[in-house]
Amino acid sequence: MGAATNVVESKEARLPRQVKGALQCLASEWDDIVDSKALQVIPIKGAMTNEVFQIKWPTRGNDTSRKVVVRIYGEGVEVFFDRDDEIRTFEFMSKYGQGPRLLGRFPNGRIEEFLRARTLSAADLRAPDISALIAAKLRAFNELDMPGQKKVWLWDRLRKWLDAAKRHCPLEEAKAFQLEAFQEEISMLEMKITGPHQCIGFCHNDLQYGNIMIEEETKSITLIDYEYATYNPVAYDIANHFCEMASDYHTETPHIVDYSKYPGLEERLRFVQIYLESSGKKPGEGEVQQLVEDVDKYTLASHLTWGVWGIISEYVNEIDFDYKGYAEQRFQQYWKQKPQLLGSS
């Protein structure tokens, strides 16, 4: 208990005064809360861009509690995305029932509705029934008609991030990571793996298990956290999701990526089949095969994207995570898979 505000919190979960003030102001509007200052703070692990907390207040007359989610934006992460764009996306998704409601804002974060749903675990991504639900939900997400330019943002964003990584990274380290080679690699990838047949949609771009929630009774899936969401080839969104199946951010070594957990061909075919069928039209065998091939190639773009992200995050983010070690693994996988997927070029 904090003497001044009756906050029940662990040492690592201390909230800035302005955040507590915003929470108390919000809670004072709810008649069922006993004491707006009697809030409990529970850190939510697994976030690597922001600090995220569940906030609870006891209520009158029963054992239930009021809950919200507080998101404190990470320091220096404006290099990754435009926060105003992200807020507009969040508000749009909220307005159309696609995600949690926005309950309040403060200078370096916001308060969100607490969804009565369970955040998925790493193992959930591999469960066939849950994976099928994700595939259908991702198709619906990709088909959203969002405001803004409907253009591919992947390559421009990757080049921008690479420039930022070079600025932050010491010269010797940049050489060790071969950052100078990536400018050419990005251009080569853009030329080799893009095509006029590819579908462009509104992509989440960060579909790891911590950004997916399931309502157990209805089996309804909700995608959350839209910081990186933009228009992109849908093959990239699926590829990134497949890459995330190799990670578990709730272990003693959350930066370690186990690529033996990457989905096999049968699993990838099944996911893509369900993804395409969810539109209500049965896809042809060639259509399924083509999308799987595109997805496989876009894993290379995913490795570069999150490898460069890791380099930048090592210098701008204070969250306890081995970003550099994570980046090293993504780059290693890029160089390993490149000849397999593209030949010797």
Side-chain angles (χ1 to χ4, degrees):
M1 288 279 180
T5 58
N6 296 325
V7 177
V8 180
E9 55 185 12
S10 60
K11 185 177 180 181
E12 68 271 19
R14 297 190 186 281
L15 295 177
R17 181 173 297 179
Q18 63 181 357
V19 181
K20 293 176 185 175
L23 287 165
Q24 290 164 13
C25 183
L26 176 66
S28 67
E29 299 175 2
W30 294 328
D31 294 336
D32 58 341
I33 288 181
V34 178
D35 181 359
S36 65
K37 295 182 178 180
L39 54 93
Q40 182 181 3
V41 182
I42 304 170
I44 298 177
K45 295 182 178 180
M48 291 177 292
T49 300
N50 307 303
E51 289 186 282
V52 186
F53 304 91
Q54 180 190 133
I55 311 297
K56 298 168 62 175
W57 291 269
T59 55
R60 293 185 176 88
N62 54 46
D63 295 329
T64 62
S65 58
R66 281 270 192 171
K67 299 179 182 179
V68 298
V69 171
V70 164
R71 189 175 306 275
I72 299 178
Y73 305 145
E75 293 289 336
V77 298
E78 62 275 359
V79 65
F80 295 126
F81 48 81
D82 185 294
R83 185 60 74 180
D84 289 336
D85 286 346
E86 190 265 339
I87 287 288
R88 280 192 291 271
T89 298
F90 185 94
E91 291 176 336
F92 183 93
M93 302 295 283
S94 174
K95 179 180 178 181
Y96 290 95
Q98 293 288 328
R101 289 180 297 125
L102 179 64
L103 300 179
R105 295 175 66 175
F106 46 90
N108 65 327
R110 64 174 179 257
I111 306 168
E112 305 171 9
E113 174 189 16
F114 178 84
L115 296 178
R116 302 287 173 175
R118 176 176 69 84
T119 304
L120 296 191
S121 68
D124 285 327
L125 297 188
R126 308 304 298 276
D129 56 338
I130 295 180
S131 183
L133 296 172
I134 295 170
K137 183 64 179 184
L138 182 57
R139 178 65 185 264
F141 189 96
N142 291 158
E143 291 180 338
L144 289 171
D145 185 14
M146 299 294 288
Q149 282 186 287
K150 295 174 174 56
K151 55 165 272 186
V152 173
W153 290 93
L154 170 62
W155 309 111
D156 288 346
R157 171 179 278 181
L158 190 43
R159 290 185 177 98
K160 177 184 175 184
W161 288 9
L162 180 59
D163 288 342
K166 290 176 181 177
R167 289 196 302 272
H168 286 286
C169 199
L171 184 59
E172 288 304 310
E173 199 168 280
K175 287 181 179 178
F177 281 115
Q178 302 183 64
L179 292 188
E180 285 301 326
F182 288 143
Q183 194 70 46
E184 188 174 331
E185 292 296 312
I186 294 168
S187 297
M188 178 276 297
L189 279 183
E190 183 178 14
M191 181 182 68
K192 285 212 165 195
I193 71 177
T194 59
H197 66 282
Q198 293 175 0
C199 177
I200 308 303
F202 187 69
C203 294
H204 187 281
N205 296 323
D206 187 22
L207 205 58
Q208 54 126 317
Y209 64 86
N211 290 336
I212 309 171
M213 303 188 76
I214 184 169
E215 206 289 316
E216 299 286 13
E217 289 189 10
T218 64
K219 299 301 179 186
S220 173
I221 293 286
T222 301
L223 308 185
I224 61 171
D225 294 0
Y226 318 116
E227 284 102 339
Y228 300 99
T230 61
Y231 277 90
N232 265 330
V234 301
Y236 172 75
D237 218 11
I238 299 171
N240 196 68
H241 177 62
F242 287 168
C243 288
E244 288 293 346
M245 292 185 183
S247 290
D248 187 342
Y249 302 113
H250 290 79
T251 66
E252 291 298 314
T253 52
H255 68 287
I256 295 297
V257 186
D258 182 0
Y259 285 108
S260 70
K261 295 180 179 178
Y262 187 84
L265 179 58
E266 183 179 343
E267 192 173 348
R268 302 199 304 276
L269 284 167
R270 183 172 65 245
F271 186 97
V272 167
Q273 179 87 28
I274 295 168
Y275 175 91
L276 292 172
E277 285 179 349
S278 66
S279 67
K281 186 177 72 172
K282 188 173 179 61
E285 185 177 334
E287 186 180 0
V288 174
Q289 190 63 44
Q290 180 65 68
L291 183 51
V292 169
E293 289 176 8
D294 290 341
V295 167
D296 287 348
K297 291 175 182 178
Y298 271 102
T299 60
L300 297 173
S302 176
H303 292 320
L304 281 190
T305 297
W306 295 106
V308 172
W309 171 89
I311 295 296
I312 301 169
S313 296
E314 179 71 19
Y315 296 98
V316 303
N317 207 317
E318 296 183 359
I319 292 174
D320 184 17
F321 185 81
D322 186 355
Y323 294 102
K324 197 185 300 183
Y326 179 79
E328 186 174 13
Q329 293 168 89
R330 297 305 296 258
F331 291 150
Q332 286 174 348
Q333 196 67 10
Y334 173 82
W335 294 115
K336 178 182 177 180
Q337 285 192 293
K338 179 189 170 186
Q340 300 168 4
L341 296 172
L342 301 181
S344 58
S345 62

